[in-house]
Amino acid sequence: MPGRENGGENAGQGEVMTGGLWDTLWVDVNLATMVDGGAPYGAVRDGAVGISAGRLAFVGPRTSLPGVPKDLARDVRFGQGRWISPGLVDCHTHLVYGGNRAHEFEQRLAGASYEEIARAGGGILSTVTATREATEAQLLASALTRLDRILGEGVTTIEIKSGYGLDLPTELKMLRVARQLAKERPVSVRTTLLGAHALPPEFAGRPDDYIDLVCRDLIPAAAGEGLADAVDAFCETIGFTPEQTARVFDAAAAHELPVKLHAEQLSDQGGAQLAARYGALSADHLEYVSPEGVEAMARSGTVAVLLPGAFYVLKETRKPPIETLRRYGVPMAVSTDCNPGSSPVTSPLLMVNMACVLFGMTVEEALAGVTRNAARALGLSRSRGTLEVDKVADLAVWNIESPADLAYAVGANPLHEVVYAGKLESWKARKLGR
Ligand code: NIG
Ligand code: FE
């Protein structure tokens, strides 16, 4: 599949890069490498991390260092017993949008359902109106506020979808803003074209004509301008049918873009099987996925992206089938789904907590969900998601006593500092400024 990467292909731990001193060496730290298959959390107590040219040059126990720290790196940093994890990856967001839907939150509290609000022209379509009206500068400013909150919890890679434009100029505008965010902040952004998110009012009653526009105009333009790294769709009774979704996926494949899918959020549409058939990077939500859907995902290596924020905000009662996903060995990711309707969430750590408490994931699974498996859901296994030699040196440094603290303390933010592509970021100054 274009854009796909395989996991677990990295060189062994502790390997030293050639060419002199490392730029930085971290010692007096514990590591949650999140490498699968060994100790829980891939933990290394009293570890060391060497960084050279923005990449990890050494990851392992301090006792395996090939010399004394001061002879190995230009800059030796002492972590005072803190924990280092991979920089977090938020692999499913709708971060760029106009307006605000707090009034719909009130309507839902008063008894209206998400579907009812959507069918009455609210929901996604009310955000579409506000996003079409917003300038690029306005979209950038509001997205930056949300992005800073997310980055303040250790995120170094984020996926951002379009899908509130539903016409060519606005979809491209959203994607340009998403790309611009990566220039404004120390974060890697992966963009996803979600043209098939909802039916825009000007196409009311003509969904197939709108899908024509998505396939003939939106996907070719986004691909041509290098604005999309993947293509997504909303396969649902209030979204698009599996047949329409398949047409979107065919167009994505014609432009060598990998696909993802909002699947079985509110009902079972067979979206997981469809996504699997197209070798999708991920199928997301999955509260209503069937065992057949899970089996298909296992066969295709499609990641299950679980979104406890939307489950919580919409007061869903049906949980994604964690035990079945586990049994079939489907990799599970966890994300904020940051959006103005179903999940106005900017806390990946709260999502880790909710994945455990609401969905029954273990802390290790939930943390793999915002690191290793989230990177895989973006096709970035080769470069991100675990602490392994040769990967990008994106690190989160935490004031915690054990990795479980990251899931346990509700509303706490134990982030101490972030290293992005090898460079120490003073996120605290930014936090104080917001
Ligand atoms: O992931 N399910 C569709 N899309 C979003 C919600 C978008 C919205 O309500 O604005 C989701 O939940
Ligand atoms: Fe979503």
Side-chain angles (χ1 to χ4, degrees), residues 98-130 164 238 313-315 339-344:
N100 169 305
R101 294 194 354 234
H103 59 288
E104 288 182 11
F105 175 65
E106 291 181 298
Q107 285 174 345
R108 284 199 306 275
L109 291 177
S113 75
Y114 184 69
E115 286 102 322
E116 280 162 8
I117 293 170
R119 288 189 199 285
I124 293 172
L125 290 186
S126 73
T127 301
V128 169
T129 306
Y164 293 121
I238 57 167
V313 169
L314 298 183
K315 293 204 234 173
N339 76 66
S342 66
S343 191

Side-chain angles (χ1 to χ4, degrees), residues 16 20-25 65-74 76:
V16 182
L21 293 181
W22 298 323
D23 298 327
T24 316
L25 171 60
L65 281 171
V68 291
K70 69 173 177 41
D71 295 340
L72 294 171
R74 271 181 284 279
V76 179

Side-chain angles (χ1 to χ4, degrees), residues 3-83:
R4 287 289 290 273
E5 291 183 358
N6 300 316
E9 64 283 73
N10 280 281
Q13 300 292 294
E15 187 177 307
V16 182
M17 287 179 96
T18 51
L21 293 181
W22 298 323
D23 298 327
T24 316
L25 171 60
W26 288 82
V27 290
D28 198 11
V29 287
N30 301 303
L31 312 179
T33 68
M34 300 314 296
V35 172
D36 197 14
Y41 307 99
V44 179
R45 285 187 184 264
D46 195 9
V49 176
I51 298 173
S52 189
R55 298 255 162 188
L56 297 173
F58 179 94
V59 180
R62 179 179 182 155
T63 50
S64 301
L65 281 171
V68 291
K70 69 173 177 41
D71 295 340
L72 294 171
R74 271 181 284 279
D75 181 17
V76 179
R77 299 195 161 261
F78 296 88
Q80 298 175 299
R82 293 190 179 90
W83 282 80

Side-chain angles (χ1 to χ4, degrees), residues 358-421:
L358 301 179
F359 289 172
M361 292 171 78
T362 66
V363 177
E364 188 180 2
E365 284 171 335
L367 288 179
V370 291
T371 54
R372 185 178 71 242
N373 291 336
R376 182 166 167 175
L378 299 180
L380 296 175
S381 298
R382 210 170 288 168
S383 59
R384 290 173 174 79
T386 59
L387 302 181
E388 288 177 274
V389 166
D390 286 345
K391 285 200 176 185
V392 173
D394 287 350
L395 315 175
V397 185
W398 306 98
N399 288 311
I400 54 174
E401 286 173 26
S402 72
D405 280 343
L406 292 176
Y408 157 70
V410 182
N413 181 2
L415 185 69
H416 181 67
E417 53 201 359
V418 163
V419 175
Y420 177 71

Side-chain angles (χ1 to χ4, degrees), residues 92 94 101 114 124 164 197 234 262 265 285 337 339 341-342:
H92 177 141
H94 309 249
R101 294 194 354 234
Y114 184 69
I124 293 172
Y164 293 121
H197 193 196
F234 185 26
H262 282 72
Q265 180 185 11
H285 287 285
D337 192 14
N339 76 66
S342 66

